[in-house]
Amino acid sequence: MATLRLALAQHDFPVGAIAANAARMRELAARARAQGAQLVAFPELALCGYPPEDLLLRPSFLAAGTHALQRLAAELPIGLAALIGHAESADAVFNAASLLRGGHVEQTYRKQQLPNYAVFDEKRYFHAGHGSVVVDVDGVRIGVLICEDIWHAAPAAAARVAGAELLLVINASPYDRAHAAQRELALALRARANALPIAYVNLVGGQDDLLFDGGALLVQADGSIAARAPAFVDALLLVEYDNAVRRLRALDWPLPQGDAIAVLYAGLVRGIRDYVRKNGFHDVLLGLSGGIDSALTLALAVDALGAEHVRGYRLPSRYTSDLSGREADAQARKLGVRCAELPIEPGFEALLHTLAPEFAGSAPDLTEENLQSRIRGVLLMALSNKFGALLLSTGNKSELAVGYATLYGDMCGAYAPLKDVYKTTVYALARWRNQKESGTLDSAAGEVIPHAVIARAPSAELRAGQTDQDSLPPYDLLDAILERFVEGEQSQAEIVAAGFDAETVRRVARMVLVNEFKRRQAAPGPKVTTRAFGRERRYPITSGWRP
């Protein structure tokens, strides 16, 4: 035959939702067949969702997956083959991809390279597979690989030796801001080394503190990129493979986002939407301080869920400026969000009165500042409980890194959209969102995030005249040091040698190291950098080592 038509199912398959995932696969398979596809490919572990973590230790979970796979094989459209990512339970547990055709499971490939770094922990659950699987679909010989396999030379080379003329890679590859470019380089290298084209399909959606961006790719045998799919978009992507010339062609794919900041914004929106809905909530609420972090979080929440599902609360104290209240109200009106005011002064005075006997003779300090933040946390959690709305925490990575956040105060919340977003990136996202709304960098007419909020000096407003820079270096300097110390794992000496002030570096490093206990208690939030706190960066709380 001259051509093969395949469909790449760049879709969300939630963890643990085996029956629902199988139903979605049946629906997508029917659509693919109706559009002339002879093969449909689903992402890595799509049947059970990725990462299933310790669900894989439950025999009933594995058995449910096996049963669903067998039923799915019997229910596929006639004339269509399907490549399904699933957990195979045989003499051991494997990360597998099975070809379903003609009512049964025809062939199964077992992932050979098991990642056990960064966010990955696959060696805890899976045994490594051995050997290639090359499937024949209407005369085209396709080598099957799973995610990490394509980052290593041996699996692709073995598939070529086994007779593959096309490589099909199914993935659950998490997003970070650097990863898309790294993927393209790895795929191009593997395609050129084996003189084989590659079709790459990836999972999409938010799962706890991970984001999967999709971003399907078609790579020609010479390493050139034939097509890119958009990030964070569910799509059934049709591909034509011409085996006479061994080339791939995308059929009417949606256009990818052209800007990295646009991709990041789309990922944060997707993270909020999926976390809220997959955990059974419909509405969210957040405190609106009049600052940049809560302003950006509000815009993200509205874009994710719609204004009718977002509540805003202003919680002013004696130190809250008129500008803060005015701009928070203005943004809420612009976005169509209901915003209520609950002054914390009565509660603050009551607690100061209660504590007065114990505080007698002690000058006001950070204790009174944190008390205000914790009153706000109590009120917001009460509202969350009363209305069944999930509370969003609005803190960013810069603040969380150095502990410039109040435990049981502004850190309260079930999800923290900006947890892995540095403060300088917060500003970039805010400017991008305004530009998207207005179509220009200069127009204030379409501002979703008020210019006054972007332009003002950041402040927690917990004491008179306070700004963040009273306690922290300027954010551009702070973030530059943090990126080297956290992402780069550079020592203090290396950072100083790069031209940074030694005392500033020592102060920032100390703040990072002594605040690990706070980060352990922080809400989950989407990983978007190459070294996120939590699942990816796991430092001891108690440690005598000072890097």
Side-chain angles (χ1 to χ4, degrees):
M1 65 175 294
T3 60
L4 173 74
R5 180 169 290 193
L6 58 147
L8 306 179
Q10 178 177 294
H11 270 258
D12 186 11
F13 296 93
V15 166
I18 293 174
N21 291 342
R24 173 166 285 187
M25 288 176 175
R26 284 192 292 272
E27 184 266 328
L28 289 169
R31 282 175 49 195
R33 187 61 185 140
Q35 296 178 72
Q38 296 134 288
L39 171 66
V40 59
F42 295 93
E44 178 182 11
L45 292 185
L47 189 56
C48 65
Y50 191 97
E53 300 183 287
D54 279 12
L55 290 174
L56 291 166
L57 304 180
R58 303 188 70 87
S60 59
F61 181 75
L62 295 169
T66 300
H67 177 68
L69 186 72
Q70 293 167 346
R71 283 194 57 189
L72 194 56
E75 296 168 352
L76 286 175
I78 294 173
L80 181 74
L83 187 67
I84 308 290
H86 66 101
E88 181 196 22
S89 179
D91 52 326
V93 179
F94 298 92
N95 184 336
S98 288
L99 185 76
L100 312 188
R101 182 164 49 185
H104 65 276
V105 178
E106 188 174 288
Q107 290 175 270
T108 296
Y109 171 76
R110 294 168 171 176
K111 186 175 182 178
Q112 298 179 57
Q113 300 290 334
L114 301 179
N116 224 65
Y117 57 87
V119 301
F120 302 107
D121 202 13
E122 290 198 18
K123 290 182 180 179
R124 174 179 171 89
Y125 306 107
F126 299 116
H127 282 65
H130 301 281
S132 299
V133 168
V134 176
V135 301
D136 187 305
V137 180
D138 292 345
V140 176
R141 292 180 58 77
I142 303 170
V144 177
L145 299 176
I146 301 176
C147 203
E148 186 76 9
D149 291 336
I150 200 65
W151 293 81
H152 299 261
R160 174 180 52 79
V161 170
E165 59 188 277
L166 168 67
L167 297 178
L168 178 54
V169 189
I170 66 170
N171 303 267
S173 179
Y175 166 80
D176 67 52
R177 295 187 68 186
H179 204 49
Q182 294 167 350
R183 281 183 202 147
E184 290 197 9
L185 288 173
L187 289 167
L189 174 65
R190 211 62 66 223
R192 285 194 301 269
N194 295 283
L196 293 177
I198 300 172
Y200 174 102
V201 62
N202 190 25
L203 187 67
V204 68
Q207 171 60 36
D208 295 344
D209 49 2
L210 296 179
L211 292 174
F212 297 92
D213 54 328
L217 290 165
L218 300 182
V219 185
Q220 305 292 23
D222 62 2
S224 62
I225 305 299
R228 298 177 179 89
F232 301 108
V233 174
D234 292 85
L236 186 64
L237 303 162
L238 292 177
V239 181
E240 193 171 83
Y241 173 69
D242 187 335
N243 67 346
V245 293
R246 293 199 175 184
R247 291 186 68 81
L248 294 163
R249 182 167 69 93
L251 302 179
D252 298 320
W253 283 23
L255 293 175
Q257 300 95 335
D259 188 335
I261 204 77
V263 173
L264 174 58
Y265 193 93
L268 296 174
V269 167
R270 183 72 190 241
I272 293 172
R273 182 185 302 132
D274 286 352
Y275 190 88
V276 171
R277 292 179 177 171
K278 289 179 182 179
N279 284 289
F281 289 84
H282 301 284
D283 301 332
V284 298
L285 61 86
L286 68 156
L288 299 179
S289 68
I292 187 69
D293 297 321
S294 63
L296 178 59
T297 303
L298 180 64
L300 289 164
V302 169
D303 289 344
L305 303 169
E308 68 275 17
H309 294 293
V310 182
R311 294 171 179 247
Y313 290 93
R314 290 202 300 107
L315 305 161
S317 75
R318 63 184 69 173
Y319 303 115
T320 302
S321 67
D322 291 340
L323 184 150
S324 294
R326 182 176 67 248
E327 298 304 332
D329 282 340
Q331 186 191 18
R333 284 194 303 271
K334 173 73 177 177
L335 290 172
V337 171
R338 175 185 178 274
C339 182
E341 180 179 299
L342 299 176
I344 69 167
E345 189 63 27
F348 188 38
E349 291 179 350
L351 288 174
L352 289 176
H353 177 74
T354 299
L355 291 165
E358 291 298 316
F359 285 6
S362 298
D365 57 15
L366 187 62
T367 305
E368 285 77 11
E369 294 181 29
N370 286 341
L371 190 58
Q372 296 167 71
S373 182
R374 289 182 174 126
I375 292 167
R376 291 183 173 118
V378 167
L379 293 176
L380 290 169
M381 286 305 303
L383 293 161
S384 175
N385 292 159
K386 181 61 70 176
F387 299 118
L390 187 147
L391 175 60
L392 298 180
S393 176
T394 62
N396 61 69
K397 184 171 187 174
S398 305
E399 295 169 350
L400 193 63
V402 296
Y404 195 69
T406 303
L407 200 57
Y408 321 123
D410 57 309
M411 289 178 66
C412 283
Y415 191 69
L418 305 181
K419 180 179 180 179
D420 199 32
V421 180
Y422 285 113
K423 188 77 166 191
T424 47
T425 308
V426 168
Y427 282 106
L429 286 163
R431 294 188 183 97
W432 179 88
R433 184 61 181 84
N434 280 350
Q435 181 185 9
K436 175 177 179 288
E437 188 75 12
S438 66
T440 172
L441 284 171
D442 300 320
S443 174
E447 283 182 350
V448 167
I449 299 167
H451 176 73
V453 172
I454 297 174
R456 70 182 302 193
S459 173
E461 294 191 320
L462 297 174
R463 65 175 184 267
Q466 182 183 29
T467 68
D468 290 3
Q469 261 59 78
D470 297 337
S471 304
L472 302 175
Y475 278 114
D476 56 350
L477 174 59
L478 175 63
D479 288 355
I481 294 172
L482 289 174
E483 286 179 11
R484 290 173 177 270
F485 191 67
V486 177
E487 269 75 35
E489 293 287 2
Q490 292 183 8
S491 69
Q492 295 178 52
E494 289 173 314
I495 300 171
V496 171
F500 293 85
D501 174 70
E503 179 53 36
T504 303
V505 171
R506 280 193 293 271
R507 185 159 66 98
V508 170
R510 182 185 180 280
M511 287 190 287
V512 172
L513 295 170
V514 302
N515 281 290
E516 181 64 31
F517 79 101
K518 283 188 181 181
R519 293 189 290 271
R520 291 286 183 96
Q521 300 180 66
K527 165 186 157 53
V528 299
T529 71
T530 58
R531 194 77 163 141
F533 294 123
R535 181 196 294 262
E536 189 168 29
R537 184 185 186 274
R538 292 171 282 185
Y539 268 61
I541 294 173
T542 307
S543 172
W545 176 251
R546 290 294 179 261

